[in-house]
Amino acid sequence: MSTAKPSFYITSPIYYVNAAPHIGHAYTTVACDVMARWKRLDGYDVKFVTGTDEHGQKVQASAEARGVSPKDFTDEISAIFDKLAKDVGSSHDRFIRTTDDDHLEACQALWRKLLASGDIYLGAYEGWYSIRDEAFFQEDELHKNEDGVRIVTATGATVEWVEEPSYFFKLSAWAEPLIKHYEANPEAIQPRSRFNEVMSFLKGGLHDLSISRTTFDWGIPVPDQDGSDQKHIMYVWLDALTNYITALGYPNQDGEMSQFWPADVHVVGKDILRFHAVYWPAFLMSAGMAPPKMVFAHGWWTNEGQKISKSVGNVIDPYDLIATYGLDQTRYFMMREVKFGSDADFSPAAMIVRMNSDLANAWGNLVQRSLSMIGKNLDGKVPSNAGLTDQDKALLQQAFDLKAEMSTHMDKLGFKDALEAAWRVIGEANAYVDETAPWALKKTDHARMETVLYTLAETIRRIALLLQPFMPESQSKVLDQLAIDGGQREFAHLGDALESGVELPKPSGLFPRFVEQAD
Ligand code: MSP
């Protein structure tokens, strides 16, 4: 099917189902969702995929520890992640599970391609493996702790010695092509500091990668095994990364593959950049496919300055945030608090400042005082726009121009900068209310009051349209209060204007101030 719309494909990582979801999972999903919603409203045909990564030793061990089969275990935990995605407002088009039937087919098809290109050979692996990271490590990536136990320097995980027959992927042959690819496409790894990190890793040379395991069986079988009695299952990262093309119907190269591949952006945490910026493009290039256009690595959340960890007991449950502060408030905080790509710190105090100053005082108050003046003084009808002054036109223009400014930031996943631009215009609008003082005009110049309130209502409409991706529920409420039809909420309608005389519903509060309860 041909479509006139441009296409946009965005993915979140697929989450391991070994434990309950935490703030990190909600964060990536929300960021992808904001981006997906932004592009949809901007007229793109968007595909947004999230899901769960269910195979491998770590998940098998967690299932064993619970005394249930891996399948029952993954069904249960995957459903929790599926629910979380919905509960954070995610608008994904597919929730993929690596236990889905079409995924098995895609993985085996990709394997055969790599084999056909001569990049797979059978050997034996001898070395260190970290189950927590599901990754192999060289001796120089480890150090010994005070008890003499080897630890992965980058992640803090312990390792075990593995000796087993294994298929290998000739990753070593792909260092040069990858370097050339990134030199020609430096924007493909964001932020820039991460690009440098990947380049120096590549320039250090690559070892061939073990891509099958034989000592456990919870995974996708390697296809067409050559009569040896060993049962190889695919390395969980080869399996997991393939989800990005399974979701587009691979191995069928027509249909969604031709429309959406290469992906516009894979959003990942900084800890899994190497898998996405080195292994994945190498697999794809070996199979004759284009690498993703961009991999964006975001930072990690800490809890009041401390690394989040189960053993410390300071894991932040996204459901607690939503229950305490509200969904849109949580989404806003995550996107506004730090530049996407940097590490971020959660604290109730920081959250409350954002809720009260940005949401309740600045945006909520602008909407509420404007709409309630319209309700009280103008019978709740959209005011007349007769006699717009230069001052009015300037504010309306700023709200219109905001789209272009936000887009520039959004194309770089600059959520914080985009929101700052919006809040600058909200600040201008609040200053305009104070300067024009429509409550005083009520008695002295009714016509002028109408024009001022019109200008405010129209400015609010434009800003609310642009804030929808970040806070879908509350902005939908604002647009309802302005009687904007559901079919007129795309950015293409920014240039429309409110129709004078239209009756508006009774306004209601948007963002209550957060008042801390005394214990
Ligand atoms: N299953 C792999 C991804 C496979 S993608 C083909 C995986 N899963 S994970 O569940 O362990 O992690 C998922 C994401 O959560 C990663 O992007 C990781 O960076 C992110 N986070 C884990 N802890 C985090 C924080 N404390 N803060 C922000 N993100 C964090 O890795």
Side-chain angles (χ1 to χ4, degrees), residues 382 385 454 458 461-462 484 493-500:
V382 174
N385 63 356
Y454 172 85
E458 179 52 32
R461 184 184 71 88
R462 293 176 184 182
I484 306 300
H493 292 280
L494 272 165
D496 297 357
L498 285 166
E499 210 181 309
S500 303

Side-chain angles (χ1 to χ4, degrees), residues 13-16 22 24-25 53 237 240 244 269 271-272 298-301:
I14 50 171
Y15 306 114
Y16 285 130
H22 56 66
H25 303 111
D53 184 354
W237 270 100
Y244 299 133
D271 53 316
I272 55 173
H298 67 68
W300 271 45
W301 283 88

Side-chain angles (χ1 to χ4, degrees), residues 91-136:
S91 63
H92 52 274
D93 300 287
R94 173 159 176 192
F95 188 90
I96 192 169
R97 300 183 54 187
T98 54
T99 48
D100 290 341
D101 291 342
D102 61 343
H103 182 64
L104 181 135
E105 198 197 325
C107 288
Q108 294 192 334
L110 180 62
W111 181 283
R112 291 191 180 105
K113 277 275 187 199
L114 303 179
L115 193 66
S117 67
D119 275 336
I120 290 182
Y121 63 91
L122 186 60
Y125 181 77
E126 251 193 49
W128 298 106
Y129 191 78
S130 153
I131 298 180
R132 199 177 89 189
D133 300 318
E134 293 284 17
F136 304 93

Side-chain angles (χ1 to χ4, degrees), residues 158-458:
T158 51
V159 287
E160 60 177 41
W161 184 253
V162 171
E163 279 185 31
E164 59 188 18
S166 174
Y167 285 99
F168 283 83
F169 175 75
K170 282 188 196 157
L171 189 63
S172 54
W174 287 96
E176 274 310 313
L178 282 169
I179 290 170
K180 285 208 179 70
H181 167 67
Y182 287 127
E183 275 169 354
N185 302 280
E187 73 295 336
I189 302 172
Q190 297 287 345
R192 181 73 198 186
S193 56
R194 300 288 166 204
F195 171 86
N196 298 336
E197 186 183 303
V198 171
M199 283 304 254
S200 69
F201 179 71
L202 289 171
K203 285 179 180 160
L206 298 176
H207 297 274
D208 287 352
L209 182 69
S210 162
I211 52 165
S212 75
R213 304 289 311 270
T214 49
T215 44
F216 63 97
D217 61 5
W218 181 236
I220 292 189
V222 167
D224 321 319
Q225 292 186 46
D226 61 358
S228 73
D229 56 356
Q230 296 291 354
K231 282 270 167 273
H232 291 262
I233 57 156
M234 285 185 207
Y235 172 40
V236 66
W237 270 100
L238 172 56
D239 160 350
L241 290 160
T242 305
N243 95 85
Y244 299 133
I245 52 176
T246 306
L248 300 182
Y250 182 84
N252 179 0
Q253 290 282 2
D254 309 324
E256 288 200 327
M257 271 305 278
S258 69
Q259 186 189 348
F260 289 109
W261 195 260
D264 291 272
V265 55
H266 292 315
V267 178
V268 301
K270 61 182 182 180
D271 53 316
I272 55 173
L273 178 61
R274 188 184 294 184
F275 301 96
H276 285 82
V278 178
Y279 301 175
W280 180 227
F283 297 151
L284 287 163
M285 285 154 97
S286 166
M289 284 184 274
K293 288 185 210 157
M294 189 202 291
V295 177
F296 194 110
H298 67 68
W300 271 45
W301 283 88
T302 48
N303 186 354
E304 303 205 59
Q306 266 206 315
K307 189 171 164 13
I308 292 174
S309 104
K310 262 190 286 184
S311 50
V312 177
N314 64 349
V315 173
I316 301 174
D317 178 347
Y319 282 105
D320 286 346
L321 297 182
I322 296 170
T324 312
Y325 307 108
L327 173 58
D328 277 2
Q329 289 86 340
T330 302
R331 288 173 61 108
Y332 175 78
F333 179 80
M334 286 176 165
M335 296 297 98
R336 174 67 181 78
E337 193 60 8
V338 296
K339 202 172 163 63
F340 201 56
S342 305
D343 288 336
D345 185 45
F346 176 83
S347 72
M351 178 87 188
I352 292 166
V353 166
R354 291 272 165 228
M355 284 178 72
N356 289 349
S357 64
D358 298 7
L359 296 179
N361 292 357
W363 178 227
N365 194 29
L366 174 70
V367 174
Q368 207 168 344
R369 58 181 175 161
S370 305
L371 295 186
S372 68
M373 279 190 275
I374 292 175
K376 272 195 240 130
N377 306 337
L378 296 166
D379 287 338
K381 295 207 175 94
V382 174
S384 154
N385 63 356
L388 289 172
T389 64
D390 285 349
Q391 184 188 17
D392 307 337
K393 287 182 193 156
L395 182 63
L396 291 168
Q397 190 63 41
Q398 281 201 56
F400 182 79
D401 293 343
L402 181 57
K403 157 74 189 353
E405 190 181 353
M406 288 177 81
S407 278
T408 311
H409 298 307
M410 292 299 283
D411 284 341
K412 292 180 273 183
L413 282 77
F415 305 110
K416 178 182 159 71
D417 291 339
L419 286 171
E420 276 174 1
W423 257 258
R424 208 190 53 241
V425 180
I426 291 169
E428 297 286 346
N430 271 318
Y432 170 91
V433 182
D434 296 339
E435 280 161 29
T436 53
W439 52 87
L441 290 170
K442 188 183 166 191
K443 294 201 186 76
T444 57
D445 188 347
H446 201 270
R448 177 69 193 136
M449 177 198 73
E450 272 211 45
T451 318
V452 165
L453 291 180
Y454 172 85
T455 303
L456 285 167
E458 179 52 32

Side-chain angles (χ1 to χ4, degrees), residues 26-95:
Y27 182 51
T28 325
T29 304
V30 166
C32 292
D33 180 61
V34 170
M35 201 60 205
R37 286 175 187 267
W38 178 272
K39 287 288 180 183
R40 276 191 211 107
L41 288 167
D42 206 11
Y44 284 71
D45 194 358
V46 171
K47 178 101 178 169
F48 163 27
V49 175
T50 187
T52 43
D53 184 354
E54 306 188 12
H55 291 130
Q57 213 170 348
K58 175 156 70 175
V59 172
Q60 180 161 338
S62 301
E64 273 162 16
R66 278 266 301 275
V68 291
S69 73
K71 180 69 181 114
D72 288 348
F73 179 75
T74 53
D75 283 348
E76 181 191 324
I77 313 273
S78 176
I80 296 173
F81 279 90
D82 192 350
K83 183 172 182 314
L84 175 74
K86 292 184 184 112
D87 291 342
V88 297
S90 172
S91 63
H92 52 274
D93 300 287
R94 173 159 176 192
F95 188 90

